[in-house]
Each structure stands twice: as C-alpha cells, then as structure tokens.
Amino acid sequence: MARNYDVVIIGAGAAGMMAAIAAGRRGRSVIVLDHAKSPGEKIRISGGGRCNFTNIHTSPKNFLSANPHFAKSALARFTPADFIAMVDRHGIAWHEKTLGQLFCDDSAKDIIRMLLQEMRSADVTLSLGREISTVSRVGDAFRIETPEGPVEAGALIVATGGKSIPKMGATGFAYRLAEQFGLTVLETRPGLVPLTLDPGLLENLAPLAGIATQAEIRHGKTGFREALLFTHRGLSGPAVLQISSYWREGDEILVSLEPDIDFLAVLKAARRENGKQAPQTVLSLHLPKRLAQHVVERSGSTGPLADHSDKALQTLVDALRCWAIKPAGSEGYRTAEVTLGGVDTTGLDSKTMQAKSVPGLYFIGECVDVTGWLGGYNFQWAWASGHAAGSAV
C-alpha cells in the first residue's frame, strides 16, 4: 500500500528543503526523500564550514545558462533579502566577507538547523537513508519505489543536484530521470574547479606551488579579479575557479598579475632612483619573491634596471600583464563546486520550474542548466528555484 502525499521531493539539499518549506506553508502534505543519512551535506561543508549562503549582488548576469533569461523570474521573486530575513528571524549571526558574499559568523550547521525547523513548522516529513529504485507515472500521480515501500504524489520535485563532489553522494540521478520523462539534458561538465597543467609546464612552475597573489584571469571577453593560487597540480584560487566555468579544453587563459599596479611606472621610477637594482628586486616589493623571479626569467629581463630600455621594461610588464597559460584540464567533479549544464531550461516553465510536457514534474537547483559564479550565487539559485516550485505545487 503506497503512502500518499500532495508533494514528493527527492533531495534534502538546499533547493529541496526550500521547496518543501514553501509547499508545506501552503498546506500541502510534503515528504522529502534522500539517500543520504543527513540533510544539507553540501551546505555543511560550504564556505569553509560557515556557508556562503547568498550574495547581496545577485542578478541574472551572475549565472551561466544556454538561456540567460531563464533564471530572471525565480531570482526576482525570492531575493537575497528574503533569505536574509529568514536567517535574521532565526537569530543567526552573519557577516559580509567580500564582494557581497554573506557567511554565518558561527557555523553552516546553523543554516541546516534553520531549514529543518522551518520544515517542521510546515509539517514536512523528512525521510533520510531512502534509496530510490524506480520512479514512474501512475495515472495523474508519480510513484516512487523505495525499500520501505512505495510513495505516491500528484507532484514530484527533483532536487538531487548535479555530479559535483561525488564523495558527498552526488550522482546523475536527476539527469536520468529527466531523460526518462522525455526532457532534454545538456552536456554536463565540472564548474568552479581548479585547473591542471601538463607535466612540462607543471615542472616549470613547480617553484611557485603554494604562492598566492591577486590577479585578473580572462577567457575571451570574461575576466575575474580575485586571488590566484599556484598548486602542485596547477592553478586554483577564486579567480581560477571563476574562469573555469567559462574555459573549455584546448583554450588558453590570460593572467594579469596584480592588475591594479602600474608596473611600468614603478619600474621606470626605480630605474631613475637606483639603476643598479635588478628588476626582480623591485617586483618583489609587490609580488611574492619567487613569483617575481619567475616572471623576470620568463621575460629574459636579466641585468640591472639601468641596462633596460623603455621597450625592455615594456616586455617585462607584458610578461606580468599578458601571461598566456594553456591548462591541460580540470580536477573534475571530485573537487568541482558545481555542475555546469544539466536539464535544458527550454523544457521548463521559468515561473514554476515545472516540466512543460509533464504536468506535476519539477526540476530545481543544481540539476537545472543554471550555474552561478563563486560567492553565494548558487545557494541563492537553490533558494529561489526551490521557492518557485514549492509555491506552485
């Protein structure tokens, strides 16, 4: 005998719990199923354990999608201010770190506890450790088979995320389910992920491992100014994670080190004041010493500054400003924070997240082809898309 609900939500992550809260508040009987033993595992590990739960600057331009307009409706109807109001109601202390990124003062677990409390207040049933064997359509209802018996509901919300961080239990379940019901799934790939280098380049840059500096990293017309970190596998840091969502295999990225410093003016002034200085001595006042040394050697700008013409100094500045690097690949889903691509938005209603061809079936969160920048944007998409679906069922 199947247990019957108005709404079944598969996935007890950020989007699924928000959808459950919105639906439960509207008087719907809701059950949330998840194969994990604990809810909100990605919330728990996010932001270094403090959860970068939203970004006050959120707008559609902060997201990648084959349809850049799709996210507008959901984002407009559940904003960062709406989520902050919930956080404040629960007395959770928070702070803005940088670039509009909001973090818990204490722990990401505060956000999980808040969502669970909101779910309880909305009479939502949470069922964890539930492996789902099959999902089918029985008349106007959806039937979800679990080892504990079947569950049926008139509405099914799929919030199982993407493929990123498989050790947290991530799978391609949502994509398989979408295809089962005739929806198109766009190519998926890791996003917000460190980039790797080929062995030759990696050996050349080995002395830089562990060094961090401010940089602007560009791919085509897109660029990000944040920290760059050299690692023993390649490149990481916020600027690299950001550009990784735009980079494609075989492409180069352009690195500009400390882009706010006028290095040409700095070098010319140093040449006038003390021409006996080596270029790396001057650059190391603004860059980590080993990085300054590497740039000078790469540009061939050896010898004292007095021996450098304006043209030679410009060559050195170009090595700082237009460093072309060709990554070999990325670290993959193992360390990727998000999954790019996913359920094609052309098959979904942007106001409700419902599948246009399958009434009662909804897809939300990371499994949809909407991917945010680093910095709280993906959580805001989870809250907004979950609220949109939960308000519609």
Side-chain angles (χ1 to χ4, degrees), residues 6 29 41 72 81 107 115 141 153 158 200 256 272 308 329 361 382:
D6 294 326
S29 59
E41 280 293 270
K72 289 181 177 178
S107 169
L115 295 169
V158 183
S256 176
R272 286 195 305 271
H308 287 67
L361 179 62

Side-chain angles (χ1 to χ4, degrees), residues 145-275:
E145 298 287 349
T146 76
E148 292 73 27
V151 178
E152 289 189 1
L156 171 61
I157 299 177
V158 183
T160 55
K163 299 177 181 177
S164 60
I165 319 183
K167 71 178 181 181
M168 302 297 294
T171 70
F173 178 88
Y175 310 132
R176 294 192 295 273
L177 200 58
E179 290 173 337
Q180 175 188 327
F181 285 99
L183 278 71
T184 300
V185 176
L186 302 181
E187 174 198 4
T188 59
R189 56 193 177 90
L192 301 181
V193 63
L195 298 175
T196 59
L197 303 174
D198 67 47
L201 183 54
L202 199 58
E203 183 179 357
N204 180 256
L205 298 181
L208 304 182
I211 287 176
T213 189
Q214 289 297 305
E216 179 179 66
I217 302 185
R218 303 194 65 84
H219 177 270
K221 296 180 180 179
T222 304
F224 294 94
R225 288 192 178 197
E226 291 188 68
L228 160 67
L229 172 66
F230 295 89
T231 74
H232 64 280
R233 289 187 294 270
L235 305 175
S236 190
V240 171
L241 298 186
Q242 295 279 37
I243 210 66
S244 72
S245 294
Y246 294 83
W247 173 82
R248 300 304 291 257
E249 200 159 329
D251 293 349
E252 286 185 338
I253 56 174
L254 283 179
V255 177
S256 176
L257 301 172
E258 292 290 353
D260 295 326
I261 297 174
D262 186 344
F263 279 112
L264 186 59
V266 166
L267 289 165
K268 284 183 176 180
R271 186 180 59 185
R272 286 195 305 271
E273 293 164 10
N274 182 4

Side-chain angles (χ1 to χ4, degrees), residues 17-32:
M17 288 194 281
M18 181 56 75
I21 293 164
R25 283 176 180 170
R26 298 175 61 244
R28 304 295 189 261
S29 59
V30 182
I31 185 170
V32 180

